[in-house]
Amino acid sequence: MPLLVFLLKRLGWMLLTLWVVYTVSFFLMRSVPGGPFDSEKQIPEPIRRNIEARYRFDRPLIEQYGRHLWDTLHLDFGPSYKLEDYTVNEILAEGFPVSASLGIFALTFALTLGMTAGVVSAVRRQSVFDFSFMALATLGVAVPNFVLASLSVVLFVFVLGWLPAAGWGSLQQIVLPALCLAAPFAGYIARLTRTGMLEVLNQDYIRTAYAKGLSQRRVVLRHALRGAVLPVVSYLGPATAGILTGSLVLERIFFLPGMGSHFIEAALQRDYTLAMGTVLVYTLLLFTMNTLVDLAYCIVDPRVRLEQQA
Amino acid sequence: MTASQSQPQPASNPTAAESDEQRYERLLAEASTIRGVSLWQDAWRRLRRNWMAIGSLALLIAMALTVLLTPALPLQSPILTDLDHRQFEPPNTRPARLDLRQRLAEFESDVRPLREQLRTASGAELTELRKQLSARYAVEHPFQKLWHKPDWLSRQLLTLRVALFGDWCIPSLCGTDQLGRDMLARICWGGRVSLVVGIVATLVSLVIGVSYGATAGYLGGLADSLMMRIVDVLYSVPFIFVVIFLITILGQGDIKAWLDRHGINQITIFYFVIGAIYWLTMSRVVRGQVISLKNEQFVEAARTIGASSRRIIFRHLIPNVMGVVIVYLTLTIPAVMMFEAFLSFLGLGVSPPDVSWGLLVNDGIQVITRVRIYWWLVLFPGLTLALTLFALNFLGDGLRDALDPKMKNR
Amino acid sequence: MPPWIRRVFPYAVLASGLAAVAWAAFFGTLPPADFTFSNGDEVQTVDPAKATGQPENRVLNGLFEGLLTNMPTTDQPDEQRLVPMEPQPAVAESLPEISEDGRVYTFKLRPSARWSENNGLGGRPVTADDFVWSWRRTLHPDTASKYAYQLSTYLENADKYNTGLVEEGDRVEVELADRPDPIQPFPRGTIVRGTLRRIVRPPAPAADPAETLEQRETQWRRRWTYVVEIKPVLPDAGQGGRVETHESPVDWAAEGNLRAFSQDPEQAEQPGAEFGSLGAIQPCVHVLLDFGQVGVRAEDERTLIVTLRNRTPYFNSLAAFYTLFPVHRECVEKYGTPRWTKPENIVSNGPFQLQFRRIRDRIRMVKNPHYWNADQVALNVIDVLAVKSHTTGLSMYLEGQLDWASNVPKLMIPELLPRDDFITAPALITYFYRVNVTRPPLDNVLVRRALNLAIDKRQICERVTKAGERPASSLVPPGMAGYEAALCGQFDIAEARRLLAEAGYPGGRGLPKVEILYNTDDNHRAIAEVIGQMWKEHLGIDVELKNVEWGNYLDRQRELDYSVSRAGWIGDYPDPNTFLDMFVTGGGQNQTGWSHPGYDALIAQAAAEPDPEQRMRQLHEAERILMDELPILPIYYYVSINMVKPYVRGFSANILDTHPLHILRLDGNAASASLPAEAASPSEPASPAEPPSSFVPAVPAETDTP
């Protein structure tokens, strides 16, 4: 069963990756100046010690590392240092669906918009469509997403009044952030699709298909698209990473209670456990996504074998 | 891209009527003309046909020149605030004043006595006076007051500017900001930071990435797979930690003092931090190239016809790797600039009074509200940033197409 | 790869994609709230003992209620459009009776004050024992409350209980190591009481480079042995139905048994033979001062007697502060910390109760039907949003998603200032720069004075902050009754240059680079840029700005790793002392390296001075020294900023920036239709000329200054 072997190997690498990420970020965070219990008002020394003892900060670093790793292995990330009413697990459980929804919508937008534009551009090469889609695509790649977000708030919220300004809880509220998040990836996917399609459209089998008398629609959708999908599939891995990064900014601008905003706040406020939890979840997510992409690649492209990918 | 096809090919079919001798002669003649077209000439020929890429290149050169020559341009001061009269001025053509000549004259008359003394002094007194004079130059000179720590080159360019334009300066065509500073000047000076961050960080990533990737590719086997797994692992590390970590550690008191002594400032640190993050993809790309090139037929072929390994490396390997690297460079620079903007958004960017485009754009979006939009604060820096990134992307695409042998003769 | 996989794959991808989108598009819907406001940041905790900031203040004042609460004393704003606020009876039915010497406060509790009901808990009256137990919890070392000093500084003997330090001869309570859950400090283990006779300390361990001094000392303390004379329990103990019952009173006069306790009996040293046979050393969790020694006790269910260490004229303000709020003992003990704060568990006594919470999104509060004054509470559902970006907050306010925005982007202030729904009020907050006086050239007082004189503070207030802040020439802001601030020099370039020349740096020559440290914030940055430019322009100083994020900023400031650093201070209570005692030698908030024996002496004298006028004079003298020496450069006095929709009634501008939620009501007609953004135009409300309120108390508020 090559599939099983592949998955097992990947699982092994994933655990190793998680461990390395865990260790590196643990020691990185502890060596950064500033601790989680800093505040502008100085806490009396004995109280400070009590707080630190409560979170085992009084123990040697290596012991903290060991114990915390042990807890983490049991999927217990411990209490959050800053959001004292919550454990990290609870925060992740609340934040993850928000980020996931945002990411799914963004990925869907990016794929549908990007591939449509790419296919149209390739089929109508050198037309007005081609030119304007490609210009838009490059613009999407070139404008930082926080600028895009602000501008679209002006347009869709202030001027047109179609969508709410910010917040979480309804479908309308997710459209704008998801679109802004999707823009650069849609742009990139459009360009990838177009290039892939152009290459495929010159191949012999497409000519054969036309010669058989198939309609253009059928040729494009049944035959050409299949070949053009490959670069897009391989791009999905980096795109996931980019969407995770991008959501940090957009969650902040659009006031969404997702993991991205938890992560930034945790990192800036030295909420070690929460930061660690989010980092590990991100790592897990990236790794899973990359594995899925590799798997999909093998399925879509018969030339690639699973053994090589592992 | 595969490099095997980049070998010169005969352009046309020989006709049967020719005699062997004629054919060989013609082939030889053809071959000699074809050999003249190197990979680079070929690429340039193709690039020239791509008007978007050429336009982008021209735009980028113009931008680079502007940014390089910024001190010599008759711009207003990027740091001089005018809280009482010039806050949030919309774009206008009202003449602006910097009184550079007058300021310079005043300064000169201030230090004249010192100079006189200097002429007659000698020995220990002379060195002491020299020190005093240079101290006054370092603090009181108008260039030091109107610009933030101009380096030697900038000071020469500023002198040139005074000679060329005198007191005249460009009015606030892009408006002024919250503290009454001229946006045009800030965009130009910010461009210096942004472009330099983009280029230097990319070069740093190039050095790390190429050496790492080449080592992995060259060694092959277990070392290769181990090194590439490390890259995979690093891919999954959220970079923001690395950034916060490095920026804060390097900003620590004693480390910072040490850096200051060696003339390293925050921006320099920035280059390295960002460069240190962006080398991953580069190393993958280079490794792939090295591995494929190692076993390529044209390398074998070159070897069999007796080419020296020096020739193989410089004529065949380097140009082939360079193509990918250059393409990747033009695509990394915009990514780095974007990242710089992202860090500015989080408040981790360059420190004022230094400016960068990311910082300006971020300031701009702060004032987009329903009550009032100071559109010039976001439009001009945003447009500049977007245009640059746009151009870099187009140029990168163009270069990729041009350097891709599959596109040959297309 | 089997071919069927390849055939099925596209459909599988499509199906899972659709499923994912369907899942993502599914939202649990919340019905809209009556009233929504932005709180500035996420609330770190709704546990009153642990909360520390202004966002927490807003929420906790809705969920809980203290003995007193800050309320407007009148509906009518004064000529500054301010409404005076004073602590008024809440759970206490009247203001406390205060003893002659000002140290003993007797609170009578309202019989109708009751706890909310949740999951079968609560519903009973709020008793004096609730307060004793809650304050004890706050002070307990294991609670590790950062704001415990709000109690420990004032209550008799409370600091000793709080820090967990005991001396031989003290009456102590020993908590045995039989807690039901060792991680939860409450419910506590069995408690025995007695007199501490001896602490047997083993030799201090040798220095281990792997451990810090603190770690070593903590470890060492664990091995101490406490010899305690345990007193017998009074036979007629227990006054039926009291919450505090299971710790029965003991007969302190009786002879007791000697016993030995240690946190770590295995490692502890056996006490010497002089005590006779003590038996085995018993494990204990803590040996603390007996809580009976601390200045709070419940005389009966409805009478709470508080004994203070010194006369504290502002204790009523403290009694309205959230650290002193009661919590429900059974709830805390049943669920433990932090689970008792979950919406499904929490029992509270305020006008509202917690219904729903999503982190960094919202806290939903609904009206508490058990609240004693529930009839007067107009709002039924309140959403508290943790909007951090001021720009986003303003957009949401203008779009009608918020009814009250508790802050706005600074750059928009000039545009918003003329609007009627834009409310500013002076606050007891000073914005200043700390100067590291240990770092040349700033160790030279002439340089510091020159720096101060070269700042055009008026321009900063008028052109940068713009919300009506007033330029500061003193540390203590105006508004402190009976106090006249000592002033430092005003903007004067010529004099500044002269001083700098006198200090040996004519025209700024030879002066090393000065770095301004500030934490990431646009307002701080703008001010630092302006001041840096002023110094550069007027004095020829090479100024560099150093922007760091919050944790790093605090760290550097504490370790004196800066030259000049931005700071802000919110008065804990309406008395100059809250500002001035920061700068005594070695004070925790001093953080400038500055030390002045005369200053320390004056502050100490003032603390012990019974005569209020004399005390104010001494504080004035102290500030005089501070303003001559200038380890800090005052810049401006803050104002608080709020935007409130015109249909909201009961929202008043006040010096405390406290806005009780339960007195807010919505104008029926306007509430549904939010007003267009540009409708408002400036118009002065008719305000009868009233004498300004003489004494406006402030509550201790957030530490992170805006």
Side-chain angles (χ1 to χ4, degrees):
Chain A
M1 279 300 279
L3 185 65
L4 200 67
V5 175
F6 168 80
L7 287 179
L8 279 178
K9 267 191 186 170
R10 274 300 169 99
L11 189 70
W13 275 115
M14 187 177 81
L15 291 179
L16 186 71
T17 310
L18 284 173
W19 175 73
V20 170
V21 167
Y22 175 85
T23 308
V24 170
S25 29
F26 182 90
F27 288 103
L28 276 190
M29 276 188 298
R30 294 302 164 98
S31 52
V32 170
F37 311 117
D38 286 342
S39 66
E40 200 164 26
K41 281 188 186 159
Q42 290 288 303
I43 310 163
E45 192 53 40
I47 304 299
R48 190 185 181 81
R49 270 189 221 172
N50 281 324
I51 298 175
E52 294 192 344
R54 203 182 142 82
Y55 293 105
R56 298 200 206 114
F57 265 66
D58 53 341
R59 312 302 304 149
L61 194 61
I62 196 75
E63 186 185 326
Q64 291 181 40
Y65 171 77
R67 286 195 188 209
H68 195 243
L69 184 62
W70 182 247
D71 288 347
T72 308
L73 280 177
H74 293 81
L75 294 182
D76 173 14
F77 293 115
S80 163
Y81 293 150
K82 286 289 178 185
L83 300 170
E84 294 178 51
D85 297 346
Y86 285 85
T87 65
V88 173
N89 293 34
E90 288 167 336
I91 298 174
L92 293 177
E94 275 194 13
F96 181 79
V98 176
S99 293
S101 289
L102 183 64
I104 288 171
F105 272 108
L107 212 55
T108 314
F109 284 147
L111 280 173
T112 43
L113 296 179
M115 289 189 70
T116 316
V119 169
V120 171
S121 302
V123 175
R124 300 269 173 89
R125 203 176 160 206
Q126 308 288 10
S127 72
V128 185
F129 285 114
D130 182 19
F131 180 75
S132 47
F133 277 148
M134 283 307 111
L136 264 182
T138 315
L139 201 66
V141 177
V143 178
N145 54 10
F146 61 90
V147 177
L148 195 67
S150 310
L151 296 181
S152 51
V153 166
V154 172
L155 182 65
F156 292 107
V157 181
F158 298 162
V159 178
L160 299 174
W162 289 351
L163 297 164
W168 181 256
S170 72
L171 211 51
Q172 290 159 327
Q173 282 170 321
I174 205 174
V175 173
L176 210 49
L179 273 177
C180 293
L181 186 53
F185 307 102
Y188 207 87
I189 289 175
R191 284 169 25 177
L192 281 177
T193 317
R194 178 177 176 271
T195 317
M197 281 284 278
L198 284 181
E199 220 153 276
V200 174
L201 285 174
N202 281 326
Q203 305 264 325
D204 290 342
Y205 73 90
I206 298 291
R207 264 177 249 160
T208 316
Y210 274 120
K212 280 198 302 185
L214 295 178
S215 71
Q216 192 186 25
R217 169 192 293 253
R218 200 169 161 79
V219 171
V220 169
L221 290 185
R222 290 281 306 176
H223 299 278
L225 192 58
R226 204 167 195 154
V229 145
L230 276 183
V232 175
V233 170
S234 64
Y235 176 64
L236 283 182
T240 314
I243 281 178
L244 291 181
T245 316
S247 70
L248 299 188
V249 174
L250 290 166
E251 283 179 14
R252 204 161 156 157
I253 292 179
F254 287 103
F255 180 51
L256 306 177
M259 283 214 307
S261 39
H262 299 332
F263 174 51
I264 290 190
E265 293 298 322
L268 293 180
Q269 298 178 355
R270 313 268 187 274
D271 191 342
Y272 296 143
T273 44
L274 179 54
M276 183 74 84
T278 36
V279 169
L280 289 179
V281 172
Y282 276 144
T283 312
L284 191 72
L285 222 74
L286 273 183
F287 207 97
T288 318
M289 205 54 200
N290 283 332
T291 307
L292 285 179
V293 164
D294 285 346
L295 207 59
Y297 205 82
C298 295
I299 295 172
V300 177
D301 188 349
R303 288 167 300 180
V304 182
R305 300 206 163 272
L306 270 183
E307 291 81 2
Q308 299 162 346
Q309 291 279 316
Chain B
M1 82 188 239
T2 52
S4 58
Q5 288 150 316
S6 64
Q7 290 300 300
Q9 295 166 347
S12 58
N13 293 324
T15 49
E18 287 170 327
S19 73
D20 278 357
E21 203 171 321
Q22 277 174 321
R23 224 175 80 208
Y24 288 138
E25 247 170 51
R26 198 179 47 77
L27 270 181
L28 209 62
E30 236 168 42
S32 65
T33 54
I34 288 167
R35 191 176 292 153
V37 185
S38 74
L39 178 82
W40 296 103
Q41 283 167 314
D42 208 31
W44 171 241
R45 193 170 49 80
R46 278 195 296 261
L47 187 67
R48 241 178 1 200
R49 267 190 266 150
N50 184 345
W51 65 269
M52 279 300 270
I54 289 296
S56 301
L57 187 64
L59 181 76
L60 286 173
I61 290 174
M63 206 161 264
L65 277 179
T66 314
V67 158
L68 190 72
L69 296 177
T70 290
L73 300 177
L75 295 164
Q76 300 174 37
S77 158
I79 58 169
L80 189 65
T81 57
D82 185 348
L83 294 173
D84 287 331
H85 309 293
R86 303 201 51 197
Q87 283 186 308
F88 292 127
E89 259 184 33
N92 61 72
T93 51
R94 250 167 301 174
R97 292 172 63 86
L98 212 52
D99 298 335
L100 258 180
R101 283 212 165 122
Q102 194 195 331
R103 284 172 188 257
L104 279 171
E106 272 170 20
F107 175 72
E108 280 306 320
S109 68
D110 275 0
V111 293
R112 189 162 303 130
L114 205 60
R115 276 188 195 283
E116 308 266 298
Q117 275 181 311
L118 199 65
R119 213 167 293 148
T120 55
S122 64
E125 199 194 356
L126 186 70
T127 40
E128 176 56 31
L129 282 173
R130 280 228 171 99
K131 228 171 160 182
Q132 272 188 27
L133 191 66
S134 68
R136 295 194 64 160
Y137 261 94
V139 174
E140 288 170 50
H141 197 276
F143 292 170
Q144 300 287 347
K145 291 201 165 188
L146 293 177
W147 285 274
H148 180 57
K149 287 198 278 183
D151 52 30
W152 180 85
L153 184 66
S154 304
R155 288 203 300 274
Q156 304 312 307
L157 289 171
L158 283 168
T159 317
L160 181 69
R161 168 222 168 119
V162 177
L164 283 178
F165 302 102
D167 280 345
W168 185 77
C169 50
I170 303 177
S172 296
L173 293 177
C174 298
T176 63
D177 72 357
Q178 178 203 4
L179 302 179
R181 294 171 297 199
D182 180 46
M183 277 307 280
L184 185 63
R186 284 174 75 73
I187 290 172
C188 287
W189 283 90
R192 285 172 82 98
V193 173
S194 283
L195 286 184
V196 170
V197 166
I199 292 167
V200 175
T202 306
L203 289 181
V204 171
S205 80
L206 178 82
V207 171
I208 304 178
V210 167
S211 43
Y212 192 94
T215 313
Y218 180 75
L219 291 177
L222 190 67
D224 175 35
S225 53
L226 193 72
M227 284 173 85
M228 280 304 112
R229 269 302 149 190
I230 293 177
V231 171
D232 285 354
V233 167
L234 289 178
Y235 256 114
S236 306
V237 177
F239 53 86
I240 183 181
F241 271 122
V242 183
V243 175
I244 296 177
F245 166 69
L246 288 176
I247 288 178
T248 44
I249 286 286
L250 295 173
Q252 284 281 318
D254 28 345
I255 301 176
K256 186 174 188 314
W258 185 86
L259 291 172
D260 275 348
R261 267 204 307 284
H262 294 76
I264 303 168
N265 60 12
Q266 173 127 15
I267 297 182
T268 319
I269 294 171
F270 234 77
Y271 305 149
F272 285 94
V273 172
I274 300 182
I277 291 165
Y278 273 88
W279 64 271
L280 297 174
T281 314
M282 179 67 90
S283 72
R284 270 190 179 172
V285 169
V286 170
R287 168 188 167 269
Q289 282 293 303
V290 168
I291 286 183
S292 73
L293 288 178
K294 251 194 342 192
N295 305 319
E296 276 298 346
Q297 283 174 351
F298 75 92
V299 176
E300 292 287 311
R303 204 169 281 139
T304 38
I305 60 166
S308 68
S309 42
R310 196 185 126 131
R311 188 180 162 79
I312 292 176
I313 290 170
F314 284 98
R315 287 294 293 182
H316 302 295
L317 289 185
I318 295 275
N320 276 295
V321 178
M322 280 312 282
V324 178
V325 166
I326 286 179
V327 168
Y328 184 72
L329 277 189
T330 53
L331 295 175
T332 306
I333 295 174
V336 168
M337 289 173 69
M338 199 89 109
F339 187 65
E340 190 268 333
F342 170 67
L343 285 180
S344 295
F345 175 81
L346 294 183
L348 297 170
V350 298
S351 302
D354 280 319
V355 276
S356 71
W357 286 344
L359 203 68
L360 288 174
V361 171
N362 190 43
D363 280 1
I365 64 162
Q366 302 294 323
V367 290
I368 296 186
T369 62
R370 177 145 197 178
V371 190
R372 178 80 195 258
I373 297 176
Y374 298 106
W375 54 271
W376 58 94
L377 290 188
V378 67
L379 178 73
F380 294 113
L383 204 63
T384 325
L385 181 64
L387 264 184
T388 311
L389 300 183
F390 203 82
L392 277 165
N393 273 303
F394 264 114
L395 182 63
D397 282 356
L399 276 175
R400 186 173 49 207
D401 289 351
L403 284 163
D404 186 349
K406 277 192 274 182
M407 299 286 283
K408 190 168 184 170
N409 300 332
R410 215 181 260 172
Chain C
M1 193 61 58
W4 64 268
I5 291 190
R6 210 156 270 151
R7 228 173 299 126
V8 171
F9 182 71
Y11 301 103
V13 168
L14 203 65
S16 52
L18 285 177
V21 171
W23 172 81
F26 176 79
F27 291 92
T29 46
L30 280 172
D34 295 348
F35 182 80
T36 309
F37 70 94
S38 69
N39 203 12
D41 203 347
E42 174 60 27
V43 168
Q44 286 193 3
T45 172
V46 294
D47 184 344
K50 299 186 144 202
T52 51
Q54 184 68 11
E56 285 79 0
N57 186 26
R58 297 197 189 99
V59 171
L60 286 173
N61 271 303
L63 294 180
F64 292 91
E65 190 170 66
L67 292 164
L68 306 177
T69 187
N70 283 305
M71 292 277 274
T73 49
T74 158
D75 303 346
Q76 298 303 324
D78 62 14
E79 68 272 22
Q80 285 177 286
R81 300 172 72 178
L82 289 179
V83 172
M85 292 277 257
E86 263 171 45
Q88 283 169 38
V91 174
E93 63 185 5
S94 56
L95 289 177
E97 258 173 55
I98 307 174
S99 70
E100 197 82 337
D101 62 355
R103 287 181 56 225
V104 182
Y105 283 59
T106 309
F107 292 91
K108 272 283 177 204
L109 268 50
R110 202 183 286 277
S112 55
R114 281 201 296 159
W115 293 99
S116 67
E117 249 184 273
N118 200 349
N119 260 335
L121 284 181
R124 65 172 176 79
V126 181
T127 64
D129 282 319
D130 283 326
F131 281 93
V132 176
W133 189 82
S134 304
W135 292 8
R136 184 173 187 172
R137 171 172 177 267
T138 305
L139 287 169
H140 195 278
D142 279 355
T143 305
S145 160
K146 288 182 200 164
Y147 264 18
Y149 74 87
Q150 305 283 12
L151 271 172
S152 66
T153 321
Y154 305 104
L155 246 54
E156 197 175 44
N157 286 330
D159 59 335
K160 215 165 169 184
Y161 188 83
N162 185 219
T163 52
L165 301 176
V166 282
E167 291 160 43
E168 292 168 7
D170 281 346
R171 289 180 177 182
V172 293
E173 55 179 45
V174 180
E175 182 182 353
L176 301 183
D178 59 353
R179 277 183 189 171
D181 178 352
I183 296 171
Q184 291 292 342
F186 302 93
R188 303 177 70 188
T190 310
I191 287 178
V192 292
R193 291 158 159 186
T195 309
L196 181 62
R197 290 288 173 225
R198 176 70 60 85
I199 302 177
V200 185
R201 300 178 175 85
D208 176 358
E211 287 180 328
T212 63
L213 194 72
E214 287 173 27
Q215 287 170 354
R216 205 158 60 234
E217 192 170 326
T218 314
Q219 288 306 306
W220 184 42
R221 271 173 197 284
R222 289 185 56 80
R223 293 163 45 212
W224 289 6
T225 308
Y226 301 85
V227 179
V228 183
E229 182 189 346
I230 300 297
K231 301 290 184 184
V233 175
L234 278 177
D236 57 344
Q239 299 172 14
R242 297 273 302 275
V243 177
E244 198 64 23
T245 41
H246 83 236
E247 287 163 28
S248 316
V250 297
D251 183 4
W252 290 103
E255 182 90 358
N257 304 323
L258 282 176
R259 274 158 70 187
F261 300 93
S262 173
Q263 289 178 308
D264 190 356
E266 313 256 309
Q267 306 260 328
E269 194 142 320
Q270 273 293 342
E274 74 266 33
F275 294 109
S277 145
L278 293 165
I281 301 177
Q282 279 186 287
C284 69
V285 187
H286 283 295
V287 178
L288 297 174
L289 187 76
D290 178 50
F291 197 75
Q293 306 285 302
V294 178
V296 58
R297 72 192 165 84
E299 182 143 289
D300 59 50
E301 256 188 44
R302 288 187 43 216
T303 313
L304 186 74
I305 297 175
V306 180
T307 313
L308 304 179
R309 190 183 302 169
N310 293 313
R311 175 194 290 271
T312 310
Y314 41 85
F315 186 75
N316 276 358
S317 296
L318 288 168
F321 186 61
Y322 56 77
T323 310
L324 277 66
F325 286 176
V327 293
H328 192 260
R329 176 175 184 173
E330 293 91 316
C331 177
V332 175
E333 292 195 338
K334 178 173 176 193
Y335 300 108
T337 308
R339 283 202 312 136
W340 76 271
T341 60
K342 302 278 173 212
E344 63 271 23
N345 300 336
I346 190 168
V347 173
S348 64
N349 72 328
F352 299 95
Q353 60 192 94
L354 188 62
Q355 191 195 41
F356 172 81
R357 190 170 173 197
R358 188 156 54 201
I359 315 154
R360 297 215 164 82
D361 182 31
R362 74 189 61 214
I363 286 178
R364 171 159 290 197
M365 302 194 286
V366 294
K367 189 169 165 177
N368 173 10
H370 292 287
Y371 182 57
W372 61 269
N373 201 10
D375 298 346
Q376 297 298 310
V377 179
L379 298 173
N380 285 315
V381 184
I382 298 182
D383 266 358
V384 187
L385 301 193
V387 189
K388 205 167 180 187
S389 156
H390 296 166
T391 312
T392 306
L394 182 64
S395 300
M396 292 176 83
Y397 175 81
L398 295 175
E399 291 298 315
Q401 284 177 275
L402 294 177
D403 301 303
W404 165 25
S406 62
N407 218 327
V408 300
K410 292 277 183 293
L411 292 175
M412 286 300 128
I413 288 174
E415 308 294 328
L416 299 170
L417 212 48
R419 294 170 60 123
D420 252 359
D421 56 348
F422 184 79
I423 299 168
T424 64
L428 289 181
I429 312 174
T430 307
Y431 192 96
F432 59 94
Y433 273 9
R434 282 199 168 90
V435 183
N436 183 353
V437 302
T438 61
R439 189 178 277 194
L442 302 171
D443 54 346
N444 188 335
V445 64
L446 295 173
V447 174
R448 300 201 294 267
R449 284 188 198 151
L451 290 180
N452 177 52
L453 292 177
I455 305 174
D456 187 351
K457 297 164 188 171
R458 177 203 56 82
Q459 200 180 39
I460 290 173
C461 292
E462 284 176 12
R463 304 290 171 181
V464 184
T465 62
K466 291 185 182 170
E469 289 86 352
R470 289 149 303 161
S473 294
S474 65
L475 176 65
V476 181
M480 304 280 190
Y483 181 74
E484 188 203 342
L487 304 183
C488 61
Q490 313 267 342
F491 181 54
D492 184 345
I493 301 174
E495 177 67 6
R497 288 190 178 140
R498 196 190 64 72
L499 285 172
L500 203 61
E502 197 184 322
Y505 309 101
R509 266 161 273 152
L511 201 70
K513 185 176 74 186
V514 172
E515 192 182 78
I516 302 179
L517 179 78
Y518 63 96
N519 59 301
T520 308
D521 180 289
D522 289 331
N523 189 40
H524 299 331
R525 191 181 90 199
I527 290 169
E529 278 181 318
V530 169
I531 289 179
Q533 184 61 26
M534 284 169 179
W535 286 346
K536 191 173 176 120
E537 174 127 12
H538 302 323
L539 300 180
I541 300 177
D542 186 6
V543 181
E544 193 168 289
L545 269 52
K546 181 74 197 167
N547 169 31
V548 293
E549 35 75 38
W550 183 243
N552 195 352
Y553 159 79
L554 294 176
D555 229 42
R556 279 163 176 259
Q557 204 163 256
R558 188 169 51 237
E559 284 162 17
L560 291 185
D561 180 13
Y562 70 93
S563 302
V564 173
S565 161
R566 160 271 133 178
W569 189 253
I570 301 178
D572 276 347
Y573 42 87
D575 188 284
N577 192 53
T578 182
F579 285 90
L580 294 174
D581 75 351
M582 266 195 283
F583 294 99
V584 295
T585 303
Q589 319 326 316
N590 182 320
Q591 301 182 354
T592 60
W594 183 72
S595 164
H596 194 286
Y599 183 85
D600 297 351
L602 280 166
I603 297 291
Q605 279 170 26
E609 179 62 52
D611 175 26
E613 272 178 38
Q614 178 64 20
R615 179 168 168 273
M616 287 299 178
R617 269 196 295 279
Q618 285 160 345
L619 289 174
H620 174 89
E621 281 312 305
E623 192 177 24
R624 180 76 269 139
I625 295 174
L626 194 71
M627 288 298 104
D628 286 340
E629 288 271 314
L630 287 173
I632 52 141
L633 314 174
I635 296 176
Y636 64 82
Y637 312 118
Y638 268 88
V639 293
S640 61
I641 293 168
N642 291 289
M643 285 193 85
V644 185
K645 293 283 184 194
Y647 51 74
V648 178
R649 299 271 172 265
F651 191 98
S652 55
N654 60 70
I655 197 166
L656 306 181
D657 196 16
T658 295
H659 311 282
L661 294 168
H662 61 279
I663 58 170
L664 295 184
R665 44 198 83 234
L666 304 178
D667 228 353
N669 305 328
S672 47
S674 83
L675 287 190
E678 42 285 314
S681 65
S683 73
E684 206 62 33
S687 58
E690 249 189 338
S693 90
S694 57
F695 180 78
V696 188
V699 289
E702 67 193 310
T703 53
D704 172 9
T705 50

